[in-house]
């Protein structure tokens, strides 16, 4: 996606602080931060950068539950003030070179931040997370800002919200979009709905309707006879009910395809017992797997590509508290 590399993260940090402050005066905030000078003014004007520690205090003033937000968006179960653990979790088993490439921060600086030899700033944090996933990061910062305006992101966020709304209505939008990334499609001399239909398993009518919708919402554009994806991609970030609905959609699609599975497909299930701690460790293992999974996809240079769907569910069918 193109958004992450285009952002001015110093300006984004300034606007985020201003957006969180909303209608409260700088003096009101400074008093509650215990600052004798107008530190909020300096942050908002870019005269100084908010350290991560100061930003967490700032969020406390506005009763923002950072632990809940980090658990929801980043799946990080530690405290937001545990910088070393947070960065180790975010970097997971990625190399610092990979993180540097995605974030635009030097690998040497990332190493110092990870080892807590350099203090993390709000600006650094924003640059790191947007490098991983700008759609999810947009949702995170607007959650922090209680959906107040962030001028640098407002236009992109409007598109994100509109696109997500359509995706919840028809998740096959995501399937059609990834088919436009297939090398075999890019080699066509002109666009063919039939090719997308064969690759996605959808009908010609469905493909045509989805492409029209995507074009209207600037998800795609026609260039040299073929559709190309724009910088804003789909995301399943929504309410719990909406996200469960998406999981159900892909699960039902998977079940419908069970009869035609091949030896190249992966499927199966397990039933087992664990402690609550082990349950958390298993979820952490899955999330690390997901990072490895994305790395394999990003580094795959084979031109013989097919679309795949990963749908993960870990459920306890009964009561969490049966041993209490």
């Amino acid at each position: 996606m193109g958004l992450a590399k285009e952002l001015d993260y110093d300006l984004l940090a300034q606007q985020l602080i201003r957006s969180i402050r909303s209608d409260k005066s700088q003096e009101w905030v400074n008093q509650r931060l215990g600052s004798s000078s107008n530190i909020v003014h300096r942050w908002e004007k870019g005269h100084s950068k908010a350290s991560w520690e100061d930003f967490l205090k700032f969020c406390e003033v506005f009763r923002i539950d950072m632990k809940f937000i980090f658990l929801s968006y980043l799946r990080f179960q530690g405290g937001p003030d545990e910088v070393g653990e947070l960065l180790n979790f975010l970097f997971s088993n990625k190399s610092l070179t990979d993180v540097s490439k995605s974030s635009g921060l030097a690998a040497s600086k990332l190493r110092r931040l990870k080892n807590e030899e350099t203090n993390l700033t709000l600006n650094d944090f924003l640059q790191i997370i947007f490098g991983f996933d700008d759609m999810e990061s947009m949702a995170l910062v607007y959650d922090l800002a209680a959906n107040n305006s962030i001028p640098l992101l407002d236009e992109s966020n409007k598109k994100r919200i509109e696109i997500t709304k359509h995706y919840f209505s028809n998740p096959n939008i995501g399937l059609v979009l990834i088919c436009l990334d297939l090398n075999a499609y890019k080699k066509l001399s002109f666009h063919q709905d039939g090719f997308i239909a064969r690759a996605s398993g959808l009908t010609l009518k469905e493909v045509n309707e989805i492409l029209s919708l995507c074009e209207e919402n600037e998800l795609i554009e026609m260039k040299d006879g073929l559709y190309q994806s724009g910088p804003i991609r789909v995301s399943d970030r929504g309410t719990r009910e909406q996200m469960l609905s998406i999981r159900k959609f892909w699960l039902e699609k998977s079940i419908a395809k069970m009869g035609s599975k091949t030896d190249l497909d992966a499927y199966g299930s397990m039933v087992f017992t664990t402690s609550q701690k082990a349950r958390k460790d298993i979820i952490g293992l899955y999330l690390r797997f997901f990072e490895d999974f994305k790395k394999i996809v990003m580094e795959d240079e084979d031109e013989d590509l097919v679309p795949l769907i990963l749908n993960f569910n870990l459920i306890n069918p009964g009561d969490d508290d049966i041993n209490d």
Side-chain angles (χ1 to χ4, degrees):
M1 293 178 64
L3 179 64
K5 297 191 179 199
E6 297 171 358
L7 288 176
D8 179 337
Y9 290 98
D10 291 342
L11 181 58
L12 177 57
Q14 295 165 37
Q15 292 183 355
L16 176 58
I17 289 172
R18 176 66 188 88
S19 182
I20 293 173
R21 179 167 68 83
S22 188
D23 58 353
K24 297 296 184 185
S25 69
Q26 291 179 349
E27 181 182 9
W28 183 90
V29 181
N30 284 316
Q31 286 176 350
R32 281 151 184 79
L33 289 173
S35 175
S36 57
S37 61
N38 195 344
I39 190 170
V40 176
H41 173 79
R42 294 204 302 275
W43 291 341
E44 291 182 8
K45 292 299 182 182
H47 300 323
S48 63
K49 296 181 180 180
S51 71
W52 187 243
E53 181 181 2
D54 282 340
F55 180 66
L56 291 181
K57 290 177 183 175
F58 177 77
C59 289
E60 285 179 12
V61 170
F62 291 91
R63 299 182 180 180
I64 296 172
D65 189 344
M66 289 293 285
K67 185 174 178 63
F68 176 78
I69 286 177
F70 272 26
L71 186 61
S72 175
Y73 288 93
L74 305 177
R75 304 298 188 266
F76 179 61
Q77 298 179 5
D81 57 335
E82 298 168 357
V83 174
E85 285 190 33
L86 170 62
L87 293 182
N88 271 307
F89 177 82
L90 289 178
F91 296 171
S92 187
N93 21 3
K94 305 179 189 72
S95 71
L96 289 180
T97 301
D98 287 341
V99 180
S100 175
K101 184 177 179 181
S102 67
S103 68
L105 291 170
S108 57
K109 180 173 183 177
L110 291 168
R111 185 177 296 105
R112 292 195 303 274
L113 288 171
K114 185 179 177 182
N115 296 333
E116 299 186 73
E117 297 167 1
T118 298
N119 288 331
L120 180 70
T121 67
L122 171 60
N123 310 48
D124 295 330
F125 172 75
L126 292 171
Q127 193 160 349
I128 289 169
I129 63 169
F130 269 85
F132 292 147
D133 189 327
D134 47 17
M135 287 285 278
E136 192 79 344
S137 298
M138 260 200 289
L140 187 155
V141 296
Y142 275 95
D143 203 341
L144 285 173
N147 289 317
N148 291 324
S149 172
I150 303 175
L152 192 62
L153 294 177
D154 282 347
E155 192 58 37
S156 293
N157 193 53
K158 284 179 186 175
K159 291 181 182 179
R160 178 188 71 85
I161 292 170
E162 187 66 19
I163 289 163
T164 302
K165 181 180 72 174
H166 287 299
Y167 180 62
F168 283 125
S169 298
N170 186 358
N172 277 323
I173 288 174
L175 184 53
V176 168
L177 286 176
I178 64 168
C179 288
L180 299 180
D181 282 336
L182 293 172
N183 288 321
Y185 174 77
K186 294 175 182 178
K187 289 180 178 178
L188 295 175
S189 56
F190 58 91
H191 170 75
Q192 298 174 29
D193 283 0
F195 175 90
I196 304 300
R198 290 193 301 276
S200 65
L202 302 176
T203 67
L204 282 170
K205 182 174 183 289
E206 287 177 299
V207 169
N208 184 264
E209 289 174 350
I210 289 173
L211 288 173
S212 296
L213 178 66
C214 289
E215 197 166 19
E216 288 171 10
N217 287 275
E218 300 179 4
L219 275 175
I220 58 175
E221 63 177 351
M222 182 69 76
K223 188 173 182 181
D224 298 328
L226 295 173
Y227 280 117
Q228 294 183 358
S229 299
I232 303 296
R233 300 299 293 268
V234 295
S235 169
D236 69 352
R237 166 60 59 178
T239 66
R240 183 174 184 274
E241 291 71 25
Q242 288 172 319
M243 294 170 80
L244 286 173
S245 176
I246 293 292
R247 300 298 183 272
K248 182 180 178 183
F249 177 91
W250 293 119
L251 184 60
E252 289 176 349
K253 184 179 282 283
S254 176
I255 291 172
K257 292 283 287 183
M258 286 292 288
S260 58
K261 280 189 175 291
T262 73
D263 292 338
L264 296 175
D265 292 320
Y267 54 96
S269 59
M270 295 174 64
V271 180
F272 51 92
T273 62
T274 70
S275 64
Q276 293 287 21
K277 179 183 181 303
R279 180 190 194 179
K280 290 181 180 178
D281 290 343
I282 290 167
I283 293 172
L285 179 64
Y286 160 70
L287 292 168
R288 289 193 295 277
F289 150 75
F290 191 62
E291 292 303 321
D292 286 342
F293 159 78
K294 288 195 292 185
K295 184 178 174 64
I296 291 171
V297 171
M298 295 300 291
E299 293 179 354
D300 182 15
E301 296 181 354
D302 197 319
E303 293 192 358
D304 185 18
L305 303 178
V306 294
L308 293 175
I309 296 166
L310 175 67
N311 192 51
F312 178 83
N313 289 279
L314 180 66
I315 63 166
N316 170 15
D319 191 335
D320 274 352
D321 303 319
I322 56 172
N323 293 312
D324 291 349

